[in-house]
Amino acid sequence: MDLFIKLALLVIFFGVMVAVGLYCRRHATDVNGFVLGGRSVGPWLTAFAYGTSYFSAVVFVGYAGQFGWKYGIAATWAGIGNALLGSLLAWAVLGRRTRVMTQHLDSATMPQFFERRFQSKALKLAASAIIFIFLIPYTASLYNGLSRLFGMAFNIDYSVCVIVMAVLTGIYVIAGGYMATAINDFIQGVIMIFGIIAVIAAVLKSQGGFLAALDALGQVSDPSVSATPGVFNSFFGPDPVNLLGVVILTSLGTWGLPQMVQKFYAIKSEQAITKGMIISTVFAMIVAGGCYFLGGFGRLFSDKIDIAANGFDSVIPTMLSGLPALLIAVVVILVLSASMSTLSSLVLASSSTLTLDFLKGTVVKDMDEKKQVRWMKGLIVVFIAISVVLAIIQYKSSVTFIAQLMGVSWGALAGAFLAPFLYGLYWKKTSRAGVWASFAFSTVVMLANIFWRASFPALLRSPINAGAFCMIAGLVIVPVVSMFTAKPDQKHLDQVFSCYDRPVTVTAKQSIGNQ
């Protein structure tokens, strides 16, 4: 009976996802519709698309377990940072300007933005290469959290689980493009919200309630981490410096990730930006805050967890293993939702970037609208297949190189793109050389972190801290290099930034004017 409940929920979940994809086929007939949903996506769909692309199984199983174990209840700061810095501030700073300038420049991808903003096809090709190199391993990492959960719930082979999830995700993305992804993200987001609330309540109840669990956590000691008693239920935990690195990377990183920023390209209106900002922030506070908060109680299950043998990915599955069958089924659907939503966003970003920014006009000279859509659909299949192969290889043979590359991908992408994109939207004096410097610095540093990690200063040996360092360094490198290199063409700048000066008519509800 328990197995029937789990399988029934899975069948319903997958059926709804595929049905949405088929329903949205009419929105995916041209490039604008397939990649951006016709730039007509409302606030709820955009906010949930942003949030569900942000939080995957990597966060729920990997990061929540790892950082909850290391920092205790203080790991919740990562979730709070994700909500305030990664969602609220990102929407406030980037949302409106991204929507206006990308439409003005007729750019559907981040590499296209760099080409048209800085008049450089080479920048577009370089950005495409960086995205291709680092998004594929990141895509493969999405499957990691599924192996233990499916093994716990169904005793199904990991390879079968990965292939089924990848195929079904591919079906609805290929059929319905961005609109299908956005609608499914909304459905998956609702599941994630209710799922994380139910799981937290059940786990705390199993430990005697919130206060009892918090008190028990205060009794836990680990001399290898800290000699201070009660450190795991303290405000900043045992290692606030490294915790800050986690907050910066996982929060500020969204500002430079192409699959995240691209959500702003598609939003419908000014009102949608304001509403979307609020919805996205609340979503992040519940889902990310809830994940890290749950992981913070991981050490209460230390008698059942062997970190040395099974790693941090075993923390959350062990915490959930004693839950009723229905709740375990909800957890599986929750993690599937988190993984499929992020997977769909990544493969759509990868395929559109490679088609529009690398193949079109460079490799394939004559590529009309229908051919571009066909190429993107074909590449979605290729990207999903590569990610599945990488995930299975890593799982079966424990290839650590792939795992390391997954760890640095977020830092490399955000470090390379954050500063050039932000300054490109706001500062006219941002130079082409400044953009190149940011691309080169972050890519080199993060690749070096894979191969020569031992040579790095102790604080930067962690890929998380190295990624946070690259993002902050980029905010300094771009303006400094721009001040000492060739200035952009003034006529081009005037044309680019004229989009912000275009007069629009609004109602009195939005502006009282000069009455």
Side-chain angles (χ1 to χ4, degrees):
M1 185 63 182
D2 289 350
L3 183 61
F4 175 78
I5 293 173
K6 297 170 188 174
L7 290 174
L9 286 177
L10 274 181
V11 170
I12 294 170
F13 173 76
F14 286 137
V16 171
M17 298 300 105
V18 173
V20 169
L22 297 176
Y23 171 77
C24 291
R25 282 181 297 176
R26 58 194 175 90
H27 293 285
T29 55
D30 59 13
V31 172
N32 190 43
F34 190 80
V35 178
L36 300 175
R39 294 188 189 265
S40 60
V41 184
W44 283 91
L45 292 185
T46 302
F48 272 70
Y50 184 92
T52 54
S53 298
Y54 196 166
F55 310 115
S56 67
V58 176
V59 172
F60 183 75
V61 177
Y63 280 11
Q66 177 180 349
F67 301 133
W69 187 271
K70 287 184 176 180
Y71 308 121
I73 203 70
T76 308
W77 280 109
I80 295 172
N82 292 173
L84 299 182
L85 182 58
S87 296
L88 179 67
L89 202 57
W91 277 74
V93 174
L94 299 179
R96 181 182 294 103
R97 282 185 174 251
T98 298
R99 175 63 173 81
V100 172
M101 186 176 281
T102 56
Q103 183 173 24
H104 179 63
L105 297 177
D106 193 25
S107 60
T109 66
M110 187 176 277
Q112 277 188 351
F113 170 82
F114 289 129
E115 177 193 27
R116 293 169 187 178
R117 168 65 178 84
F118 298 104
Q119 296 180 291
S120 172
K121 187 175 182 179
L123 275 178
K124 180 180 77 170
L125 295 176
S128 302
I130 294 170
I131 289 171
F132 177 76
I133 291 170
F134 290 103
L135 270 192
I136 291 295
Y138 178 51
T139 303
S141 72
L142 300 177
Y143 304 104
N144 286 354
L146 295 173
S147 59
R148 296 180 188 276
L149 286 172
F150 266 75
M152 174 188 73
F154 298 102
N155 198 27
I156 296 176
D157 183 72
Y158 175 60
S159 301
V160 174
C161 161
V162 166
I163 292 170
V164 169
M165 174 187 139
V167 169
L168 292 170
T169 303
I171 288 173
Y172 78 71
V173 177
I174 291 169
Y178 183 81
M179 187 60 75
T181 300
I183 294 174
N184 275 332
D185 285 349
F186 178 78
I187 297 169
Q188 291 159 350
V190 172
I191 294 170
M192 290 167 68
I193 287 174
F194 286 102
I196 193 65
I197 291 173
V199 167
I200 290 172
V203 169
L204 291 181
K205 184 179 178 181
S206 73
Q207 298 298 310
F210 170 62
L211 293 179
L214 196 64
D215 182 61
L217 192 64
Q219 309 303 315
V220 174
S221 63
D222 185 346
S224 66
V225 176
S226 175
T228 306
V231 72
F232 291 110
N233 71 348
S234 64
F235 197 65
F236 289 119
D239 190 359
V241 174
N242 279 304
L243 177 59
L244 179 61
V246 173
V247 173
I248 293 173
L249 180 75
T250 61
S251 302
L252 196 60
T254 61
W255 295 42
L257 295 177
Q259 75 273 18
M260 301 297 297
V261 173
Q262 198 163 318
K263 301 296 185 290
F264 299 134
Y265 291 32
I267 202 163
K268 185 176 181 179
S269 64
E270 172 73 22
Q271 296 94 326
I273 291 175
T274 304
K275 290 179 183 177
M277 176 173 61
I278 297 169
I279 296 165
S280 178
T281 304
V282 173
F283 179 88
M285 193 68 78
I286 295 172
V287 174
C291 285
Y292 289 110
F293 176 77
L294 175 67
F297 292 95
R299 283 184 179 264
L300 297 183
F301 299 80
S302 57
D303 58 321
K304 303 175 184 176
I305 300 172
D306 186 348
I307 295 295
N310 300 315
F312 292 110
D313 286 353
S314 64
V315 174
I316 297 295
T318 302
M319 294 174 70
L320 305 178
S321 59
L323 298 181
L326 181 60
L327 262 181
I328 289 178
V330 169
V331 170
V332 171
I333 300 296
L334 185 161
V335 175
L336 268 176
S337 297
S339 298
M340 290 177 71
S341 58
T342 307
L343 176 63
S344 64
S345 178
L346 291 175
V347 296
L348 191 57
S350 299
S351 66
S352 60
T353 293
L354 196 58
T355 301
L356 301 177
D357 305 324
F358 189 78
L359 296 177
K360 181 185 175 185
T362 304
V363 178
V364 183
K365 300 297 182 184
D366 182 23
M367 191 182 283
D368 59 22
E369 287 272 327
K370 289 186 177 179
K371 190 177 288 187
Q372 290 173 49
V373 173
R374 284 199 299 270
W375 268 98
M376 282 187 277
K377 290 181 177 181
L379 286 171
I380 285 172
V381 175
V382 173
F383 288 142
I384 287 179
I386 293 173
S387 69
V388 166
V389 170
L390 286 175
I392 293 174
I393 288 174
Q394 184 195 350
Y395 178 74
K396 299 236 181 231
S397 57
S398 301
V399 178
T400 56
F401 174 78
I402 297 174
Q404 289 173 338
L405 197 54
M406 291 172 188
V408 301
S409 61
W410 188 306
L413 288 163
F417 297 145
L418 188 157
F421 189 78
L422 177 63
Y423 286 118
L425 291 175
Y426 278 89
W427 192 39
K428 291 184 178 182
K429 294 182 180 180
T430 309
S431 73
R432 195 179 305 160
V435 177
W436 277 116
S438 181
F439 282 11
F441 179 82
S442 292
T443 305
V444 169
V445 169
M446 295 311 294
L447 286 175
N449 190 264
I450 296 176
F451 300 108
W452 301 285
R453 184 169 297 166
S455 301
F456 276 58
L459 186 63
L460 298 182
R461 287 175 190 167
S462 160
I464 292 172
N465 289 346
F469 169 72
C470 285
M471 284 185 279
I472 294 172
L475 294 172
V476 177
I477 289 170
V478 171
V480 169
V481 173
S482 295
M483 286 190 290
F484 294 98
T485 52
K487 305 303 178 190
D489 177 67
Q490 189 61 46
K491 184 178 179 181
H492 173 71
L493 284 178
D494 292 340
Q495 190 276 327
V496 167
F497 280 84
S498 65
C499 61
Y500 296 145
D501 300 322
R502 178 173 56 88
V504 295
T505 302
V506 298
T507 64
K509 287 189 295 184
Q510 296 167 291
S511 174
I512 60 174
N514 296 315
Q515 298 174 354

